[in-house]
Amino acid sequence: MRALLPDLSPWQTSVDFRRLWKSGLISNFGSFLTLVALPVQLKDLTESTAAVGAIGAVELLPLIVCGLYGGALADALDKRKLIGWTEAGQGLLSAALLLNALLPRPTVWPLYAVAALSSALGSLQRPALDSLWPRIVAHADIPAAASLNSLRWTVGGVAGPALAGVVVAYAGLGWAYAADLLTFAVSVAYIVRIAPSPASHEAAKPSLGAIAEGARYALSRKELLGTYVVDLAAMSLAMPLAVLPFLADELHADWSLGLMYAALPAGSLLVSLTSGWASRIHRHGLMVVLAATGWGLAVAAAGLCGNVWLVLVLLTVGGGFDMVSGIFRAAMWNQTIPDELRGRLAGIELLSYSVGPQLGQVRAGGLAAWAGVRTSVVSGGLACAGAMGLLALCLPRLMTYDARTNEHAVRMREQRAATTPAAG
């Protein structure tokens, strides 16, 4: 049992990691409140699956542009300042949602505007977050820190939506947005206490050329490209979030909406809490494809079920498969990408695991408006599973990746082993 439990070494040895972890937990908790409240408000105002799915459309362009540029900024600026300013900006957006919700007749356009701006700020921030935490923990603690970061996200992902369903149903949308605003304020208070994290002397200035350099490196790594393609396909084809409010209606279980949103991260949480086995797996690419296939099949099965409790169980299983895929994608990235490209590649990684869900919302909402909610969910899950079979045939470098023998993994392992004694 001890081998399955998360390693707490980063938490115990790095005060800045503790502050960053607490900040992220609190911020994520509030963000998941809004994740539930915003589509519910759109559903109430429009009664349209397409309108809810359009959230993904307005978030997509800011995510792509700011994700790439955010990676260049993360390599060139003080990471702590970049995280702090973008976190404060997210708090202002929560305040805008609160003010709109308090109007006698709330309007629709601010919801889309805030969704787009929030996508932009989150995309600017995430590469800095992903490249800051490896700096503030010991090199030997990086795998444990990655696991704890996943745990932080999933705890907020379970508790936030579950509470949001209750808050929205019984207290109102305004309370959900107000709670999100408060969490951003507390999060910023933790971030400002973290030590500065300036750019290295060798860092490239943020520019199109710097972004292109990162893109060229990514294109040269077929196994990395494979992880991006697999996750993009899995999320764009099978992500059901946009239609969950309507699925809860069809099941005559409005009370279950918060639990539906919480079920996916609940599955991720269960995997994170028992992730000790992952360190003994070396065929990371194979695991990414198998887990993505399981994700699609679980979503399809959830769409076929008429019992709300079974739907919740299957969504939880799907979330677990998604986390397994995420663990091994992150392992491949962190074990093989050079430090000087970490921020820019984190921006590309952001696109790989964020663009897919946005496209998935558009697909799910649009297809549900045309063919029905159940058809949207089932067909997306089956299409995902089928796509994984095709990708397994088309991506041999991904399927044969082995962390023990891959040339990039071996090179990074040797470089870090050579620098560790000097750092000590």
Side-chain angles (χ1 to χ4, degrees):
M1 286 296 297
R2 184 174 297 178
L4 293 175
L5 297 177
D7 183 352
L8 299 179
S9 299
W11 176 274
Q12 296 166 341
T13 59
S14 173
V15 64
D16 279 341
F17 181 79
R18 290 199 298 274
R19 289 167 178 163
L20 189 65
W21 196 94
K22 292 175 182 177
S23 167
L25 175 66
I26 294 167
S27 176
N28 287 344
F29 181 84
S31 296
F32 277 109
L33 289 172
T34 296
L35 177 71
V36 174
L38 194 144
V40 167
Q41 189 174 17
L42 264 176
K43 172 180 174 292
D44 292 342
L45 293 174
T46 68
E47 290 297 330
S48 167
T49 57
V52 176
I55 295 175
V58 302
E59 292 175 337
L60 186 57
L61 182 60
L63 191 155
I64 294 172
V65 174
C66 295
L68 291 172
Y69 192 63
L73 289 177
D75 281 338
L77 301 180
D78 186 304
K79 294 174 175 56
R80 185 202 62 174
K81 290 182 179 180
L82 181 57
I83 294 167
W85 282 112
T86 50
E87 193 80 349
Q90 294 274 30
L92 293 177
L93 295 179
S94 295
L97 288 174
L98 173 60
L99 292 175
N100 184 60
L102 294 176
L103 293 175
R105 298 184 65 180
T107 54
V108 170
W109 72 263
L111 304 184
Y112 289 117
V114 168
L117 291 172
S118 179
S119 175
L121 288 175
S123 300
L124 289 172
Q125 182 190 81
R126 187 58 183 264
L129 279 170
D130 287 346
S131 54
L132 172 60
W133 66 260
R135 281 189 171 189
I136 58 180
V137 300
H139 178 260
D141 289 338
I142 285 178
S147 178
L148 290 174
N149 283 335
S150 297
L151 179 62
R152 176 202 69 194
W153 182 87
T154 52
V155 167
V158 172
L163 180 60
V166 176
V167 171
V168 170
Y170 297 103
L173 293 162
W175 285 100
Y177 295 139
D180 192 17
L181 174 59
L182 178 61
T183 62
F184 278 120
V186 176
S187 174
V188 170
Y190 274 112
I191 290 170
V192 297
R193 297 175 62 196
I194 295 173
S197 183
S200 63
H201 296 300
E202 303 81 14
K205 294 182 179 180
S207 65
L208 291 177
I211 295 172
E213 181 185 4
R216 285 193 297 271
Y217 177 82
L219 289 171
S220 72
R221 296 281 310 282
K222 303 306 181 186
E223 66 274 34
L224 284 186
L225 284 178
T227 66
Y228 303 154
V229 172
V230 165
D231 193 47
L232 182 64
M235 294 297 104
S236 62
L237 292 172
M239 178 57 76
L241 291 183
V243 298
L244 290 184
F246 301 91
L247 182 60
D249 278 353
E250 288 200 4
L251 294 169
H252 307 291
D254 290 345
W255 55 268
S256 70
L257 178 58
L259 295 178
M260 286 186 182
Y261 278 107
L264 294 175
S268 299
L269 176 61
L270 291 174
V271 171
S272 296
L273 288 172
T274 57
S275 59
W277 59 271
S279 62
R280 297 188 291 274
I281 303 295
H282 306 288
R283 296 285 300 280
H284 297 163
L286 175 62
M287 290 298 297
V288 167
V289 173
L290 290 177
T293 303
W295 151 259
L297 293 175
V299 170
L304 290 170
C305 287
N307 181 284
V308 64
W309 292 107
L310 189 53
V311 169
L312 291 172
V313 169
L314 288 166
L315 290 175
T316 302
V317 172
F321 278 120
D322 184 41
M323 177 54 69
V324 171
S325 176
I327 287 173
F328 291 107
R329 291 197 314 270
M332 290 180 66
W333 298 338
N334 289 324
Q335 288 179 343
T336 66
I337 295 173
D339 292 339
E340 64 271 16
L341 292 169
R342 182 68 264 175
R344 280 163 285 175
L345 269 292
I348 295 174
E349 291 156 16
L350 170 69
L351 300 187
S352 80
Y353 58 71
S354 298
V355 169
Q358 309 312 320
L359 292 175
Q361 290 195 71
V362 177
R363 184 212 64 82
L367 186 57
W370 175 62
V373 172
R374 295 299 189 92
T375 299
S376 174
V377 176
V378 174
S379 63
L382 293 178
C384 169
M388 292 308 111
L390 291 175
L391 289 174
L393 296 175
C394 298
L395 299 169
R397 293 289 295 275
L398 176 66
M399 297 299 290
T400 58
Y401 175 90
D402 191 317
R404 295 166 295 186
T405 58
N406 177 267
E407 60 178 313
H408 301 283
V410 170
R411 184 182 304 116
M412 288 299 299
R413 191 156 55 240
E414 292 174 348
Q415 289 177 356
R416 291 178 175 177
T419 58
T420 298

